[in-house]
Amino acid sequence: RNGIYPLMNFAVSRPHALPRALSQPQEDPQKAKTPTPEPFDVETRKVVQMQCNMELNEDKSQWHLTLLLILEDKLHRQLSYDLLPTDNSKDLATELVHYGFIHEDDCEKLAAFLESAFHKHRSQS
């Protein structure tokens, strides 16, 4: 959340289940099959500046996106992602809101920014 740890360290760890006592009632099987999604923090700071860099990977088969966001409190947040051919700017911006990396009000602005960056880099290649 504070931008000082690599994103790969944010894996959700589940606590180990303790064996149940035989006297406890069994759970409803329908409820056991649908896990409740973990809540994510909501970003309250808005983005004041955005920078984007796109480079082809070494094998020239995929684009690598590096996004630098500067928030209201001068925090710098750098995000990296290997773009898939099916990725689009709106879905990426929505996902960043969902995971609490950007404020909900910045979703449309970031989507438009990413779309222009995608168009610029794809037209150059």
Side-chain angles (χ1 to χ4, degrees):
R1 176 156 173 85
N2 294 326
I4 59 173
Y5 299 105
L7 291 179
M8 65 185 134
N9 289 338
F10 284 105
V12 177
S13 61
R14 296 201 178 269
H16 296 292
L18 298 175
R20 293 184 179 189
L22 294 176
S23 62
Q24 291 182 344
Q26 295 293 326
E27 287 184 10
D28 182 13
Q30 288 293 351
K31 289 181 183 176
K33 290 182 182 177
T34 56
T36 304
E38 294 290 324
F40 292 99
D41 290 334
V42 176
E43 180 59 69
T44 57
R45 301 164 294 190
K46 292 190 177 186
V47 175
V48 294
Q49 187 176 355
M50 296 179 271
Q51 294 177 2
C52 175
N53 185 30
M54 290 179 62
E55 299 173 346
L56 278 173
N57 283 348
E58 293 174 4
D59 59 359
K60 306 275 190 220
S61 65
Q62 196 174 32
W63 286 97
H64 180 76
L65 170 71
T66 303
L67 186 62
L68 177 65
L69 305 173
I70 301 175
L71 304 180
E72 289 175 326
D73 63 350
K74 306 296 183 215
L75 179 114
H76 290 62
R77 179 169 285 159
Q78 182 173 336
L79 305 169
S80 296
Y81 180 69
D82 287 328
L83 291 170
L84 301 172
T86 57
D87 286 332
N88 66 53
S89 59
K90 178 67 175 162
D91 290 345
L92 290 175
T94 304
E95 192 171 332
L96 291 176
V97 170
H98 173 75
Y99 289 109
F101 287 111
I102 63 171
H103 192 280
E104 186 176 0
D105 293 346
D106 291 326
C107 186
E108 292 297 322
K109 182 171 62 171
L110 181 65
F113 176 75
L114 287 174
E115 186 60 39
S116 67
F118 292 172
H119 181 68
K120 175 184 167 187
H121 288 284
R122 289 177 181 151
S123 65
Q124 289 177 353
S125 61

